[in-house]
Amino acid sequence: MKNFQSLSDIQSEVSAGKLSVSELVEHYLKNIDEKNGRLNAFLSIYGEDAIKQAKLIDEKIHKNIAGRLAGMVIGIKDVFAYENHRLQCASSILEKFESQFTATCIQRLIDEDAIIIGHQNCDEFAMGSSNENSAFGVCKNPVDESRVPGGSSGGSAAAVASDMCQVSIGSDTGGSVRQPAAFCGVIGLKPTYSRISRYGLAAYASSFDTVGILTKSLSDAAIVLEIMSGADEFDSTVSNKKVPRFSDFKSKNKYRVAYLSETLSHEGLNPEVKEATLQTIEQLKSNGHEVREVSMSQLDYVLPTYYVLTAAEASSNLSRYDGVRYGKRAKSVDLEGMYKESRSEGFGEEVKKRIMTGTFVLSASYHDAYYTKAQKVRRLISQETNNLLDEYDFIVSPTTPTTAFKIGEFKSDPIQMYLEDLYTVQANVAGIPAISIPIGADNQGLPIGMQLMSKSFNELELIDISNQIITFKDQNG
Ligand code: GLN
């Protein structure tokens, strides 16, 4: 069966009677069966469920009562609650834990007749940039299996890139949708903070966490965003703003675009990534957009601010995993010993490191020096970013400084690993929407992504300009 690039491709074959949703599900299950043993993109596969659902949806299509996502087969990152299915956050502490309810964003997809085919591998509790922090083994990059798929939504990106599902739902706290999208050659969209309900998304750093979307086409990203967005009585932080028709994104608008000089002069930037970014910048200019180089004085502080604040929030959020309420419980003679041993055995190295860092920056003696200071710097970064976005419609940069690296390459060098988030964390610090789109490949064929950021709630134009870039590239080789 062909590798469908978008839901509309699928739906037109279905309505022409050339394809049924049941056949489509069989196709993805076959791909999972053939590839997942090597790639380890899925941790749980819901084959029987999916086949049953597909039959029902085929009947609905026949009666003309199917939802807007009929024919869309979706994989979800192992951080989303799906009733009576496992939710493990790729952590031993939640091994075999089952959720009792479904996340709002996932429910909205199901209500429109999307089919959930499985839970996908990721870094433990979404902390990482390579998927190497999963308690259930690394996921491999389908483009080159000796390399990481990126993280933390590595399984989600690898699954879309290798056609094990049409779309994946990931989470993005500092780049976890955009960075793996760039490494695997797919599209990764992180909407505005508060655009999509986080109810049912396991919390990492609540003031940064965003539900994100990984797809092969912008039209799929747009429709999925449209369906998941909007107010939710279970999450009071979700915006009440009216949700635009993201699926009507196509225009010929000319935009004002800025690129940050600091991002392109960074010493860690791979020359081929730089070259591809500059070429796309030239393309934007020749297509009539106004493009300017600008400078951002706070850029050096973005990464430390992110890591101080997310560790602080993580240390608080993860205190709930105590051996009493969920998942793993260690045997111990007393209560305190049980807490300690459950957490020591259940959490992996990276998660422990962040809990300890977070506890430290929140401790009475250091609170002002680290946590309060980082909050102030967060405000300054947001202000500077938003000032730029008052003048320009978009800020573009590479998504990542490098292409996909080898499994194990940065294991002993956490700073190098954190640098992978250099360009992506700014959008989470400021709460603005951002997207990564594929713009080419390096000389080894490894995908390169470009990131575009825009002002809050401007996803529509973000998708529109991405479409202009991709369409131009498709037409001009
Ligand atoms: N790589 C970043 C981190 O480790 C981002 C993770 C994410 O977005 N969930 O925190």
Side-chain angles (χ1 to χ4, degrees):
M1 190 174 290
K2 81 178 196 208
N3 182 336
F4 290 101
Q5 293 303 302
S6 69
L7 177 65
S8 58
D9 279 2
I10 293 172
Q11 289 182 336
S12 51
E13 297 231 348
V14 170
S15 51
K18 292 190 208 149
L19 175 74
S20 71
V21 179
S22 303
E23 285 165 345
L24 192 65
V25 165
E26 295 290 352
H27 158 75
Y28 291 120
L29 287 173
K30 187 166 153 275
N31 270 353
I32 292 175
D33 201 41
E34 281 168 11
K35 298 178 185 172
N36 201 48
R38 292 197 325 273
L39 296 178
N40 198 23
F42 279 91
L43 296 178
S44 314
I45 298 149
Y46 309 131
E48 258 176 56
D49 267 14
I51 291 169
K52 235 191 260 163
Q53 273 307 109
K55 283 201 184 115
L56 291 176
I57 292 166
D58 277 327
E59 280 166 26
K60 279 188 172 180
I61 292 173
H62 200 68
K63 293 186 195 143
N64 242 332
I65 53 166
R68 293 176 72 197
L69 297 183
M72 187 176 269
V73 176
I74 296 182
I76 58 179
K77 184 177 181 179
D78 193 18
V79 289
F80 289 102
Y82 180 25
E83 192 178 353
N84 297 331
H85 293 76
R86 279 192 189 165
L87 168 59
Q88 306 179 110
C89 299
S91 178
S92 302
I93 210 160
L94 283 178
E95 192 162 356
K96 302 206 172 78
F97 173 76
E98 283 196 5
S99 170
Q100 293 164 0
F101 68 100
T102 301
T104 300
C105 61
I106 305 301
Q107 190 59 51
R108 288 186 181 171
L109 301 175
I110 296 171
D111 291 345
E112 287 292 344
D113 287 334
I115 293 176
I116 308 300
I117 200 156
H119 266 110
Q120 294 158 329
N121 204 354
C122 57
D123 285 299
E124 185 177 2
F125 285 101
M127 298 177 194
S129 309
S130 65
N131 215 129
E132 291 168 290
N133 299 334
S134 166
F136 305 114
V138 67
C139 166
K140 294 181 180 151
N141 191 319
V143 183
D144 174 348
E145 292 177 18
S146 69
R147 292 176 188 271
V148 303
S152 63
S153 312
S156 306
V160 172
S162 58
D163 199 33
M164 293 198 251
C165 57
Q166 178 66 19
V167 166
S168 294
I169 306 301
S171 66
D172 191 314
T173 304
S176 276
V177 158
R178 288 160 284 154
Q179 189 252 20
F183 278 11
C184 294
V186 300
I187 293 166
L189 172 64
K190 170 226 167 309
T192 310
Y193 180 79
S194 87
R195 180 62 101 180
I196 299 177
S197 168
R198 287 177 292 115
Y199 179 70
L201 162 65
Y204 158 17
S206 311
S207 75
F208 294 77
D209 292 343
T210 330
V211 175
I213 307 162
L214 297 111
T215 59
K216 301 174 207 173
S217 67
L218 288 161
S219 57
D220 283 3
I223 192 167
V224 167
L225 175 66
E226 190 173 311
I227 286 166
M228 291 199 298
S229 295
D232 174 24
E233 59 173 323
F234 295 116
D235 178 357
S236 59
T237 64
V238 183
S239 163
N240 286 322
K241 269 192 198 312
K242 190 169 178 298
V243 177
R245 297 256 326 164
F246 294 118
S247 45
D248 295 336
F249 59 84
K250 283 182 195 143
S251 85
K252 291 200 164 57
N253 291 352
K254 299 295 173 206
Y255 294 108
R256 288 161 307 161
V257 182
Y259 64 95
L260 303 177
S261 48
E262 292 82 357
T263 59
L264 289 178
S265 56
H266 197 273
E267 53 177 352
L269 179 61
N270 166 323
E272 288 185 86
V273 175
K274 180 174 178 174
E275 186 51 38
T277 311
L278 285 171
Q279 265 177 18
T280 310
I281 287 172
E282 283 311 310
Q283 176 198 316
L284 283 166
K285 285 184 191 160
S286 64
N287 287 351
H289 302 285
E290 183 190 322
V291 188
R292 294 269 158 79
E293 181 171 357
V294 297
S295 178
M296 165 120 187
S297 63
Q298 322 267 357
L299 213 60
D300 280 349
Y301 304 110
V302 176
L303 209 51
T305 303
Y306 168 80
Y307 273 100
V308 169
L309 294 177
T310 52
E313 294 188 25
S315 72
S316 160
N317 274 327
L318 271 61
S319 65
R320 74 192 67 177
Y321 304 105
D322 54 8
V324 177
R325 284 167 288 186
Y326 320 88
K328 190 181 187 81
R329 174 178 301 190
K331 286 196 178 58
S332 180
V333 282
D334 60 3
L335 181 66
E336 194 156 324
M338 191 277 289
Y339 288 151
K340 280 189 187 157
E341 277 159 46
S342 301
R343 288 169 69 80
S344 304
E345 289 168 20
F347 288 134
E349 288 301 304
E350 182 67 25
V351 172
K352 282 185 203 161
K353 188 161 73 190
R354 296 197 193 195
I355 291 174
M356 286 190 272
T357 312
T359 308
F360 175 77
V361 301
L362 286 174
S363 61
S365 326
Y366 294 97
H367 189 279
D368 284 353
Y370 292 103
Y371 183 73
T372 310
K373 179 159 271 163
Q375 289 287 26
K376 290 181 183 164
V377 180
R378 182 179 195 181
R379 166 65 69 90
L380 293 175
I381 294 167
S382 302
Q383 271 169 355
E384 194 175 0
T385 307
N386 284 320
N387 288 345
L388 271 177
L389 289 169
D390 283 339
E391 254 180 85
Y392 296 93
D393 301 304
F394 308 105
I395 303 173
V396 301
S397 69
T399 307
T400 52
T402 67
T403 49
F405 47 90
K406 292 264 186 199
I407 294 171
E409 195 176 332
F410 294 160
K411 259 259 130 139
S412 55
D413 189 353
I415 301 292
Q416 194 61 40
M417 187 77 92
Y418 291 173
L419 278 174
E420 283 301 319
D421 307 324
L422 191 62
Y423 305 131
T424 49
V425 294
Q426 186 180 356
N428 304 75
V429 169
I432 55 174
I435 193 167
S436 175
I437 55 170
I439 54 163
D442 69 7
N443 63 11
Q444 300 181 74
L446 301 170
I448 297 174
M450 184 163 98
Q451 171 178 257
L452 298 100
M453 298 188 277
S454 190
K455 54 176 98 45
S456 288
F457 300 105
N458 193 27
E459 292 89 350
L460 187 62
E461 287 186 332
L462 200 56
I463 298 172
D464 179 38
I465 189 160
S466 303
N467 179 53
Q468 294 191 32
I469 296 172
I470 292 178
T471 311
F472 183 87
K473 283 196 190 294
D474 284 350
Q475 286 166 357
N476 296 273

